[in-house]
């Protein structure tokens, strides 16, 4: 059994064939899906999707760093209101993205810090998006870090040193996705040095499809390709990689 710890199955890219996508994922051993929200505009479709697939799909609530605009305080209020009424399995995705927009770093940091506090208050994992911003993310997290903080560095693509920094925080796993299959991606070299107990699997679908589907729509059934590549790098069986990463995911999402 595999768990896709990060997929946006509720987005319009899957509107026409979501049933086949779920069925094909389950056929490939992917039995549970965690859905990080983007912002208030995607909330209803996420919740509708979760309602359609009970026991398979679990909702997270957060504000994606690329959706942090001038009105971000309104978005944070929206999250607080939903958290007061409804159960979620984590806060996310949140974090810092300096690839698309470097001008609003201060707002991104404020929104990220608020969401870390919400994760702590609600005893939920925080799912972190970090793109061209490892130092900035790490600085924020280090300031807030204590025994009540835990979660996932989603789409981890960093160096061995950065992986060790994440591990040193104490409560964080690294989400490994399609980048692991990219030629010259370099992630295989990092992963070789990192114990499997620190890793969880994710697709981030519809984005970041693994080879040989790179550039096409990603979907959760491709999680098996990522797991197979991880097994190859770690010189373990697919079954062992599945068992360990599933246990890690259950630990993060408190479903042990
Ligand atoms: Ni994502």
């Amino acid at each position: 059994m595999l768990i896709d710890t990060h997929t946006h199955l509720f987005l319009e890219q899957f509107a026409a064939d979501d049933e086949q996508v779920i069925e094909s994922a389950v056929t490939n051993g992917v039995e549970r899906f965690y859905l990080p929200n983007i912002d208030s505009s995607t909330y209803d479709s996420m919740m509708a999707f979760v309602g359609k697939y009970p026991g398979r799909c679990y909702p997270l609530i957060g504000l994606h760093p690329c959706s942090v605009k001038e009105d971000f305080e309104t978005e944070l209020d929206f999250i607080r209101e939903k958290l007061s009424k409804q159960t979620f399995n984590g806060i996310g995705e949140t974090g810092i993205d300096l690839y698309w927009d470097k001008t609003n770093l201060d707002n991104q940091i404020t929104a990220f810090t608020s969401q870390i506090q919400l994760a702590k208050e609600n005893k939920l994992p925080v799912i972190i998006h970090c793109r061209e911003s490892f130092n900035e993310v790490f600085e924020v997290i280090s300031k807030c870090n204590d025994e009540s903080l835990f979660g996932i560095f989603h789409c981890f693509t960093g160096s061995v040193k950065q992986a060790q920094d994440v591990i040193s925080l104490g409560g964080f796993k690294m989400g490994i996705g399609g980048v692991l299959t990219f030629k010259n991606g370099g992630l295989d070299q990092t992963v070789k040095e990192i114990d499997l107990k620190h890793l969880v699997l994710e697709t981030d679908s519809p984005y970041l499809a693994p080879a040989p589907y790179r550039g096409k729509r990603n979907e959760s059934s491709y999680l098996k390709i990522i797991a197979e590549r991880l097994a190859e790098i770690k010189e373990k069986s697919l079954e062992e990689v599945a068992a360990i990463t599933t246990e890690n995911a259950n630990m993060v999402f408190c479903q042990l």
Side-chain angles (χ1 to χ4, degrees), residues 6 8 93 154 204:
H6 193 119
H8 305 284
E93 57 186 286
H154 137 68
D204 201 17

Side-chain angles (χ1 to χ4, degrees), residues 6-8 11 36-38 64 92-93 127 129 154-155 202-208:
H6 193 119
T7 171
H8 305 284
L11 294 181
N37 197 22
I38 310 291
H64 193 291
E93 57 186 286
I127 309 309
H129 171 109
H154 137 68
C155 192
E202 62 170 56
T203 57
D204 201 17
S205 54
Y207 314 110
L208 283 172

